[in-house]
Amino acid sequence: PHTLITMLLDGALERTAEAKGALSRQDVARSGESIGKAIGIVDSLRVSLDSEQGGEIARNLSALYDYLTRRLLEANATKDADMLDEVAGLLREIKVAWDQIPADLHHASE
């Protein structure tokens, strides 16, 4: 699961960057497609949470993923690159924290 979550976070960051690049080129269709993929990945991250084992952390992450989804939808509707930057910044913070989990704990839930 640790590697899968890392890949999902990387994918969400990549799709968000693609969307921002497409917006800068005024390629609205491509931007919308990339935002849609980012939303799908964020939803996968939310679904992967274990509220029983994760407790308050899982609840907080679920709320954060919900917020990210709303911001991505709003960025798509308004074509606002700053919102994409905000989402990317939050995803990077999650990824940094995730990457700091000690290797001996990576397989604790597998």
Side-chain angles (χ1 to χ4, degrees), residues 2 18 26-27 31 52 59 65-66 78 81 86-87 89 97 104:
H2 188 87
E18 285 175 4
Q26 298 186 3
D27 186 347
S31 176
E52 284 185 32
R59 285 189 297 278
Y65 292 147
D66 182 58
T78 62
E86 177 190 2
V87 168
D104 60 325

Side-chain angles (χ1 to χ4, degrees), residues 81-104:
D82 290 339
M83 288 182 198
L84 294 174
D85 287 338
E86 177 190 2
V87 168
L90 291 168
L91 285 168
R92 277 191 292 276
E93 287 184 36
I94 296 167
K95 185 170 179 345
V96 165
W98 187 256
D99 289 345
Q100 291 177 356
I101 295 173
D104 60 325

Side-chain angles (χ1 to χ4, degrees), residues 1 4 11 14 16 19 28 30 32 35 38-40 55-56 60 66 69 72-73 86 89-90 98 104 106 110:
L4 176 60
E14 288 172 19
T16 303
V28 176
R30 177 66 178 221
I35 288 173
I39 289 170
E56 185 178 349
N60 290 342
D66 182 58
T69 298
L72 286 165
L73 288 167
E86 177 190 2
L90 291 168
W98 187 256
D104 60 325
H106 287 190
E110 291 183 305

